[in-house]
Amino acid sequence: MSEDQLEIRAASQRKILWIVLGFNLALAVAFAVTGLKADSSALIANGLDNASDSIVYIITLLALSRPPVWKRVAARISGGLLILFAAGVLFDVIHRFLSDVEPLGSTMMIMAVVAAAVNALCVWLLKQIREADVTVRAATTFSTNDFVANAGVLIGGGLVMWTGQAWPDLVVGLAVAAIALKGGIQILRDANCEAGGS
């Protein structure tokens, strides 16, 4: 591949990552606002998730035109952030369980549908990047995890409305933490495998 072709590919990847970053920042704010209004651990967890995703996309953008060693370090930071985020969500779930809050199921469901549509678009955009390196694969893992988490929030919101209790919201918060932990471990393994193969 010529240097011109590499530059064109890098520019195309950068454009996609900027778009996905913008979507994630918007979702982080929307989740934070609706999560606080609805007293929902699941929405706040998703907001924190999107905020950490945004940091990862910035790291990915910075590493995009760097040597492979930079990309592996960026991926490791991404994986570490995801594991740290999982711990933060677990803390929030425990706090809300002890506080006996009552989340608003309808707000959870509306926000979940909007976020699922945005995250599906993000996954589709990231899949357009050909020959994705370890940092782009990490970004794709983040958006895929978000989409799965949104489905959980939708179900949790329905159960909150149906049962009139807070436990489904807390269960979804725990599930989001588990998905984040799994994604973080997967990213770290991917980065380590690539390091071993180079």
Side-chain angles (χ1 to χ4, degrees), residues 49-124:
D49 189 17
N50 283 108
S52 67
D53 290 358
S54 299
I55 295 169
V56 170
Y57 292 127
I58 291 168
I59 292 168
T60 304
L61 280 161
L62 292 172
L64 198 59
S65 56
R66 304 274 184 182
V69 66
W70 279 73
K71 294 179 180 183
R72 287 192 295 270
V73 169
R76 286 185 182 121
I77 293 170
S78 302
L81 279 172
L82 205 47
I83 292 168
L84 185 65
F85 153 75
V89 170
L90 184 60
F91 175 80
D92 181 68
V93 168
I94 292 168
H95 169 72
R96 287 178 181 280
F97 175 75
L98 296 174
S99 302
D100 196 30
V101 296
E102 293 183 16
L104 297 176
S106 57
T107 304
M108 289 172 66
M109 293 177 74
I110 292 166
M111 190 61 217
V113 170
V114 172
V118 173
N119 282 313
L121 177 59
C122 288
V123 171
W124 180 81

Side-chain angles (χ1 to χ4, degrees), residues 118-169:
V118 173
N119 282 313
L121 177 59
C122 288
V123 171
W124 180 81
L125 285 167
L126 290 165
K127 293 282 187 187
Q128 304 310 302
I129 297 177
R130 291 195 169 93
E131 298 176 36
D133 58 37
V134 67
T135 55
V136 175
R137 291 196 299 271
T140 305
T141 297
F142 270 61
S143 286
T144 303
N145 286 350
D146 289 348
F147 183 76
V148 173
N150 298 150
V153 174
L154 183 62
I155 294 166
L159 287 171
V160 166
M161 290 180 69
W162 185 46
T163 63
Q165 296 180 0
W167 67 262
D169 175 61

